[in-house]
mmCIF file of all heavy atoms in Angstrom:
data_model
loop_
_atom_site.group_PDB
_atom_site.id
_atom_site.type_symbol
_atom_site.label_atom_id
_atom_site.label_comp_id
_atom_site.label_asym_id
_atom_site.label_seq_id
_atom_site.Cartn_x
_atom_site.Cartn_y
_atom_site.Cartn_z
ATOM 1 N N LYS A 362 -9.765 28.619 -2.811
ATOM 2 C CA LYS A 362 -9.241 29.979 -2.882
ATOM 3 C C LYS A 362 -7.718 29.953 -2.995
ATOM 4 O O LYS A 362 -7.067 28.960 -2.688
ATOM 5 C CB LYS A 362 -9.661 30.762 -1.644
ATOM 6 C CG LYS A 362 -11.148 30.974 -1.542
ATOM 7 C CD LYS A 362 -11.496 31.707 -0.278
ATOM 8 C CE LYS A 362 -13.007 31.852 -0.191
ATOM 9 N NZ LYS A 362 -13.403 32.455 1.064
ATOM 10 N N ILE A 363 -7.160 31.078 -3.392
ATOM 11 C CA ILE A 363 -5.721 31.168 -3.576
ATOM 12 C C ILE A 363 -4.973 30.897 -2.268
ATOM 13 O O ILE A 363 -3.907 30.275 -2.268
ATOM 14 C CB ILE A 363 -5.297 32.506 -4.220
ATOM 15 C CG1 ILE A 363 -3.852 32.424 -4.727
ATOM 16 C CG2 ILE A 363 -5.522 33.662 -3.262
ATOM 17 C CD1 ILE A 363 -3.437 33.579 -5.604
ATOM 18 N N SER A 364 -5.535 31.325 -1.141
ATOM 19 C CA SER A 364 -4.866 31.090 0.143
ATOM 20 C C SER A 364 -4.793 29.596 0.451
ATOM 21 O O SER A 364 -3.770 29.105 0.949
ATOM 22 C CB SER A 364 -5.579 31.842 1.272
ATOM 23 O OG SER A 364 -6.930 31.440 1.357
ATOM 24 N N ASP A 365 -5.862 28.855 0.139
ATOM 25 C CA ASP A 365 -5.856 27.406 0.347
ATOM 26 C C ASP A 365 -4.868 26.733 -0.595
ATOM 27 O O ASP A 365 -4.125 25.831 -0.197
ATOM 28 C CB ASP A 365 -7.249 26.822 0.117
ATOM 29 C CG ASP A 365 -8.275 27.331 1.115
ATOM 30 O OD1 ASP A 365 -7.895 27.581 2.282
ATOM 31 O OD2 ASP A 365 -9.441 27.491 0.719
ATOM 32 N N SER A 366 -4.864 27.176 -1.839
ATOM 33 C CA SER A 366 -3.934 26.618 -2.819
ATOM 34 C C SER A 366 -2.493 26.903 -2.412
ATOM 35 O O SER A 366 -1.621 26.049 -2.540
ATOM 36 C CB SER A 366 -4.233 27.188 -4.203
ATOM 37 O OG SER A 366 -3.453 26.538 -5.172
ATOM 38 N N SER A 367 -2.247 28.074 -1.902
ATOM 39 C CA SER A 367 -0.913 28.441 -1.436
ATOM 40 C C SER A 367 -0.479 27.529 -0.294
ATOM 41 O O SER A 367 0.624 26.970 -0.309
ATOM 42 C CB SER A 367 -0.901 29.899 -0.978
ATOM 43 O OG SER A 367 0.320 30.209 -0.346
ATOM 44 N N ARG A 368 -1.347 27.374 0.673
ATOM 45 C CA ARG A 368 -1.025 26.540 1.837
ATOM 46 C C ARG A 368 -0.781 25.095 1.423
ATOM 47 O O ARG A 368 0.191 24.478 1.845
ATOM 48 C CB ARG A 368 -2.173 26.618 2.846
ATOM 49 C CG ARG A 368 -1.949 25.809 4.105
ATOM 50 C CD ARG A 368 -3.117 25.936 5.090
ATOM 51 N NE ARG A 368 -4.440 25.806 4.488
ATOM 52 C CZ ARG A 368 -5.001 24.660 4.112
ATOM 53 N NH1 ARG A 368 -4.361 23.532 4.272
ATOM 54 N NH2 ARG A 368 -6.208 24.646 3.568
ATOM 55 N N ARG A 369 -1.614 24.570 0.552
ATOM 56 C CA ARG A 369 -1.513 23.162 0.163
ATOM 57 C C ARG A 369 -0.373 22.894 -0.810
ATOM 58 O O ARG A 369 0.184 21.805 -0.819
ATOM 59 C CB ARG A 369 -2.845 22.689 -0.402
ATOM 60 C CG ARG A 369 -3.924 22.664 0.703
ATOM 61 C CD ARG A 369 -5.272 22.274 0.193
ATOM 62 N NE ARG A 369 -5.275 20.882 -0.232
ATOM 63 C CZ ARG A 369 -6.327 20.294 -0.770
ATOM 64 N NH1 ARG A 369 -7.449 20.974 -0.954
ATOM 65 N NH2 ARG A 369 -6.274 19.029 -1.141
ATOM 66 N N SER A 370 -0.022 23.874 -1.620
ATOM 67 C CA SER A 370 1.053 23.674 -2.599
ATOM 68 C C SER A 370 2.423 24.023 -2.039
ATOM 69 O O SER A 370 3.443 23.585 -2.562
ATOM 70 C CB SER A 370 0.804 24.519 -3.855
ATOM 71 O OG SER A 370 0.976 25.896 -3.571
ATOM 72 N N GLY A 371 2.445 24.860 -0.994
ATOM 73 C CA GLY A 371 3.725 25.320 -0.459
ATOM 74 C C GLY A 371 4.277 26.527 -1.193
ATOM 75 O O GLY A 371 5.361 27.013 -0.856
ATOM 76 N N LEU A 372 3.558 27.015 -2.192
ATOM 77 C CA LEU A 372 3.970 28.206 -2.936
ATOM 78 C C LEU A 372 3.248 29.413 -2.347
ATOM 79 O O LEU A 372 2.076 29.321 -1.975
ATOM 80 C CB LEU A 372 3.621 28.069 -4.420
ATOM 81 C CG LEU A 372 4.309 26.933 -5.176
ATOM 82 C CD1 LEU A 372 3.726 26.816 -6.590
ATOM 83 C CD2 LEU A 372 5.801 27.136 -5.228
ATOM 84 N N SER A 373 3.944 30.519 -2.277
ATOM 85 C CA SER A 373 3.312 31.723 -1.731
ATOM 86 C C SER A 373 2.218 32.221 -2.688
ATOM 87 O O SER A 373 2.202 31.887 -3.879
ATOM 88 C CB SER A 373 4.348 32.827 -1.521
ATOM 89 O OG SER A 373 4.784 33.336 -2.765
ATOM 90 N N ILE A 374 1.332 33.026 -2.146
ATOM 91 C CA ILE A 374 0.280 33.629 -2.971
ATOM 92 C C ILE A 374 0.916 34.447 -4.090
ATOM 93 O O ILE A 374 0.478 34.375 -5.249
ATOM 94 C CB ILE A 374 -0.664 34.484 -2.099
ATOM 95 C CG1 ILE A 374 -1.499 33.566 -1.197
ATOM 96 C CG2 ILE A 374 -1.556 35.376 -2.955
ATOM 97 C CD1 ILE A 374 -2.337 34.286 -0.152
ATOM 98 N N ASP A 375 1.950 35.206 -3.763
ATOM 99 C CA ASP A 375 2.636 36.009 -4.790
ATOM 100 C C ASP A 375 3.226 35.122 -5.875
ATOM 101 O O ASP A 375 3.179 35.457 -7.062
ATOM 102 C CB ASP A 375 3.734 36.866 -4.167
ATOM 103 C CG ASP A 375 3.182 38.031 -3.355
ATOM 104 O OD1 ASP A 375 2.020 38.429 -3.590
ATOM 105 O OD2 ASP A 375 3.912 38.534 -2.483
ATOM 106 N N THR A 376 3.793 33.978 -5.480
ATOM 107 C CA THR A 376 4.370 33.060 -6.471
ATOM 108 C C THR A 376 3.288 32.494 -7.370
ATOM 109 O O THR A 376 3.464 32.418 -8.596
ATOM 110 C CB THR A 376 5.149 31.932 -5.770
ATOM 111 O OG1 THR A 376 6.232 32.505 -5.032
ATOM 112 C CG2 THR A 376 5.695 30.924 -6.771
ATOM 113 N N LEU A 377 2.158 32.108 -6.795
ATOM 114 C CA LEU A 377 1.055 31.594 -7.614
ATOM 115 C C LEU A 377 0.588 32.650 -8.624
ATOM 116 O O LEU A 377 0.387 32.334 -9.805
ATOM 117 C CB LEU A 377 -0.123 31.169 -6.727
ATOM 118 C CG LEU A 377 0.110 29.913 -5.887
ATOM 119 C CD1 LEU A 377 -1.023 29.723 -4.885
ATOM 120 C CD2 LEU A 377 0.262 28.688 -6.774
ATOM 121 N N ARG A 378 0.462 33.881 -8.179
ATOM 122 C CA ARG A 378 0.061 34.960 -9.094
ATOM 123 C C ARG A 378 1.107 35.181 -10.173
ATOM 124 O O ARG A 378 0.774 35.372 -11.352
ATOM 125 C CB ARG A 378 -0.175 36.252 -8.309
ATOM 126 C CG ARG A 378 -1.420 36.231 -7.470
ATOM 127 C CD ARG A 378 -1.579 37.523 -6.696
ATOM 128 N NE ARG A 378 -2.795 37.512 -5.913
ATOM 129 C CZ ARG A 378 -2.914 38.054 -4.721
ATOM 130 N NH1 ARG A 378 -1.892 38.688 -4.171
ATOM 131 N NH2 ARG A 378 -4.058 37.981 -4.067
ATOM 132 N N TYR A 379 2.369 35.167 -9.773
ATOM 133 C CA TYR A 379 3.465 35.353 -10.731
ATOM 134 C C TYR A 379 3.480 34.216 -11.753
ATOM 135 O O TYR A 379 3.595 34.460 -12.957
ATOM 136 C CB TYR A 379 4.797 35.432 -9.983
ATOM 137 C CG TYR A 379 6.009 35.440 -10.874
ATOM 138 C CD1 TYR A 379 6.282 36.524 -11.700
ATOM 139 C CD2 TYR A 379 6.881 34.360 -10.886
ATOM 140 C CE1 TYR A 379 7.391 36.535 -12.520
ATOM 141 C CE2 TYR A 379 7.996 34.365 -11.709
ATOM 142 C CZ TYR A 379 8.254 35.447 -12.518
ATOM 143 O OH TYR A 379 9.353 35.445 -13.330
ATOM 144 N N TYR A 380 3.355 32.989 -11.278
ATOM 145 C CA TYR A 380 3.354 31.844 -12.194
ATOM 146 C C TYR A 380 2.198 31.938 -13.189
ATOM 147 O O TYR A 380 2.341 31.587 -14.354
ATOM 148 C CB TYR A 380 3.267 30.534 -11.413
ATOM 149 C CG TYR A 380 4.576 30.066 -10.811
ATOM 150 C CD1 TYR A 380 5.748 30.820 -10.898
ATOM 151 C CD2 TYR A 380 4.653 28.848 -10.151
ATOM 152 C CE1 TYR A 380 6.928 30.378 -10.350
ATOM 153 C CE2 TYR A 380 5.844 28.398 -9.599
ATOM 154 C CZ TYR A 380 6.975 29.163 -9.700
ATOM 155 O OH TYR A 380 8.142 28.707 -9.161
ATOM 156 N N GLU A 381 1.069 32.428 -12.738
ATOM 157 C CA GLU A 381 -0.062 32.604 -13.650
ATOM 158 C C GLU A 381 0.253 33.706 -14.663
ATOM 159 O O GLU A 381 -0.001 33.554 -15.863
ATOM 160 C CB GLU A 381 -1.327 32.941 -12.868
ATOM 161 C CG GLU A 381 -2.561 32.996 -13.741
ATOM 162 C CD GLU A 381 -3.837 33.259 -12.962
ATOM 163 O OE1 GLU A 381 -3.901 32.957 -11.757
ATOM 164 O OE2 GLU A 381 -4.781 33.785 -13.586
ATOM 165 N N ARG A 382 0.836 34.790 -14.188
ATOM 166 C CA ARG A 382 1.148 35.928 -15.065
ATOM 167 C C ARG A 382 2.132 35.547 -16.169
ATOM 168 O O ARG A 382 1.993 35.985 -17.310
ATOM 169 C CB ARG A 382 1.687 37.097 -14.234
ATOM 170 C CG ARG A 382 1.815 38.378 -15.003
ATOM 171 C CD ARG A 382 2.140 39.596 -14.153
ATOM 172 N NE ARG A 382 3.398 39.479 -13.429
ATOM 173 C CZ ARG A 382 3.516 39.348 -12.109
ATOM 174 N NH1 ARG A 382 2.457 39.297 -11.335
ATOM 175 N NH2 ARG A 382 4.703 39.248 -11.546
ATOM 176 N N LEU A 386 1.361 28.697 -14.704
ATOM 177 C CA LEU A 386 0.039 28.201 -14.326
ATOM 178 C C LEU A 386 -0.963 28.748 -15.335
ATOM 179 O O LEU A 386 -0.867 29.910 -15.736
ATOM 180 C CB LEU A 386 -0.353 28.703 -12.932
ATOM 181 C CG LEU A 386 0.252 27.993 -11.735
ATOM 182 C CD1 LEU A 386 -0.064 28.743 -10.444
ATOM 183 C CD2 LEU A 386 -0.251 26.565 -11.635
ATOM 184 N N ARG A 397 -9.707 34.198 -7.664
ATOM 185 C CA ARG A 397 -9.246 32.958 -8.267
ATOM 186 C C ARG A 397 -9.884 31.761 -7.569
ATOM 187 O O ARG A 397 -10.026 31.742 -6.362
ATOM 188 C CB ARG A 397 -7.721 32.858 -8.173
ATOM 189 C CG ARG A 397 -6.988 33.808 -9.079
ATOM 190 C CD ARG A 397 -5.488 33.812 -8.732
ATOM 191 N NE ARG A 397 -4.729 34.602 -9.680
ATOM 192 C CZ ARG A 397 -4.569 35.921 -9.588
ATOM 193 N NH1 ARG A 397 -5.132 36.590 -8.598
ATOM 194 N NH2 ARG A 397 -3.860 36.569 -10.483
ATOM 195 N N TYR A 399 -9.144 27.731 -7.621
ATOM 196 C CA TYR A 399 -8.279 26.650 -8.081
ATOM 197 C C TYR A 399 -8.963 25.302 -7.939
ATOM 198 O O TYR A 399 -9.611 25.021 -6.935
ATOM 199 C CB TYR A 399 -6.973 26.636 -7.279
ATOM 200 C CG TYR A 399 -6.099 27.828 -7.549
ATOM 201 C CD1 TYR A 399 -6.231 29.000 -6.816
ATOM 202 C CD2 TYR A 399 -5.135 27.790 -8.547
ATOM 203 C CE1 TYR A 399 -5.428 30.099 -7.068
ATOM 204 C CE2 TYR A 399 -4.328 28.887 -8.806
ATOM 205 C CZ TYR A 399 -4.483 30.032 -8.068
ATOM 206 O OH TYR A 399 -3.694 31.117 -8.326
ATOM 207 N N LEU A 404 -4.054 22.564 -8.470
ATOM 208 C CA LEU A 404 -3.270 22.318 -7.264
ATOM 209 C C LEU A 404 -2.160 21.306 -7.530
ATOM 210 O O LEU A 404 -1.012 21.511 -7.117
ATOM 211 C CB LEU A 404 -4.171 21.835 -6.123
ATOM 212 C CG LEU A 404 -3.438 21.497 -4.828
ATOM 213 C CD1 LEU A 404 -2.714 22.716 -4.261
ATOM 214 C CD2 LEU A 404 -4.416 20.921 -3.814
ATOM 215 N N ALA A 407 0.545 23.016 -9.476
ATOM 216 C CA ALA A 407 1.268 23.963 -8.616
ATOM 217 C C ALA A 407 2.222 23.215 -7.684
ATOM 218 O O ALA A 407 3.357 23.656 -7.467
ATOM 219 C CB ALA A 407 0.291 24.823 -7.815
ATOM 220 N N CYS A 408 1.781 22.087 -7.146
ATOM 221 C CA CYS A 408 2.645 21.285 -6.274
ATOM 222 C C CYS A 408 3.867 20.785 -7.043
ATOM 223 O O CYS A 408 4.996 20.822 -6.525
ATOM 224 C CB CYS A 408 1.878 20.106 -5.687
ATOM 225 S SG CYS A 408 0.681 20.564 -4.419
ATOM 226 N N LEU A 410 5.169 22.172 -9.722
ATOM 227 C CA LEU A 410 6.013 23.344 -9.984
ATOM 228 C C LEU A 410 6.848 23.693 -8.750
ATOM 229 O O LEU A 410 8.011 24.085 -8.869
ATOM 230 C CB LEU A 410 5.161 24.543 -10.400
ATOM 231 C CG LEU A 410 4.566 24.491 -11.802
ATOM 232 C CD1 LEU A 410 3.584 25.645 -12.002
ATOM 233 C CD2 LEU A 410 5.658 24.518 -12.862
ATOM 234 N N GLY A 411 6.263 23.532 -7.575
ATOM 235 C CA GLY A 411 7.003 23.763 -6.342
ATOM 236 C C GLY A 411 8.165 22.803 -6.191
ATOM 237 O O GLY A 411 9.259 23.182 -5.749
ATOM 238 N N GLN A 414 10.867 23.885 -8.557
ATOM 239 C CA GLN A 414 11.543 25.044 -7.983
ATOM 240 C C GLN A 414 12.524 24.593 -6.904
ATOM 241 O O GLN A 414 13.659 25.049 -6.858
ATOM 242 C CB GLN A 414 10.504 26.009 -7.404
ATOM 243 C CG GLN A 414 11.097 27.236 -6.761
ATOM 244 C CD GLN A 414 10.021 28.131 -6.147
ATOM 245 O OE1 GLN A 414 8.860 27.742 -6.018
ATOM 246 N NE2 GLN A 414 10.416 29.311 -5.763
ATOM 247 N N ARG A 423 11.437 25.528 -16.596
ATOM 248 C CA ARG A 423 10.064 25.269 -16.134
ATOM 249 C C ARG A 423 9.061 25.801 -17.151
ATOM 250 O O ARG A 423 8.035 25.173 -17.407
ATOM 251 C CB ARG A 423 9.826 25.900 -14.763
ATOM 252 C CG ARG A 423 10.466 25.099 -13.641
ATOM 253 C CD ARG A 423 10.227 25.717 -12.293
ATOM 254 N NE ARG A 423 11.345 26.611 -12.009
ATOM 255 C CZ ARG A 423 11.331 27.580 -11.123
ATOM 256 N NH1 ARG A 423 10.253 27.827 -10.413
ATOM 257 N NH2 ARG A 423 12.389 28.332 -10.927
#
Side-chain angles (χ1 to χ4, degrees):
K362 295 178 182 175
I363 195 169
S364 58
D365 296 327
S366 187
S367 171
R368 181 179 46 77
R369 293 177 68 183
S370 70
L372 297 173
S373 71
I374 290 172
D375 288 338
T376 298
L377 290 171
R378 288 179 179 144
Y379 172 68
Y380 280 4
E381 186 177 335
R382 190 171 60 249
L386 281 171
R397 289 170 174 85
Y399 292 89
L404 178 61
C408 288
L410 287 172
Q414 179 183 11
R423 283 180 268 161

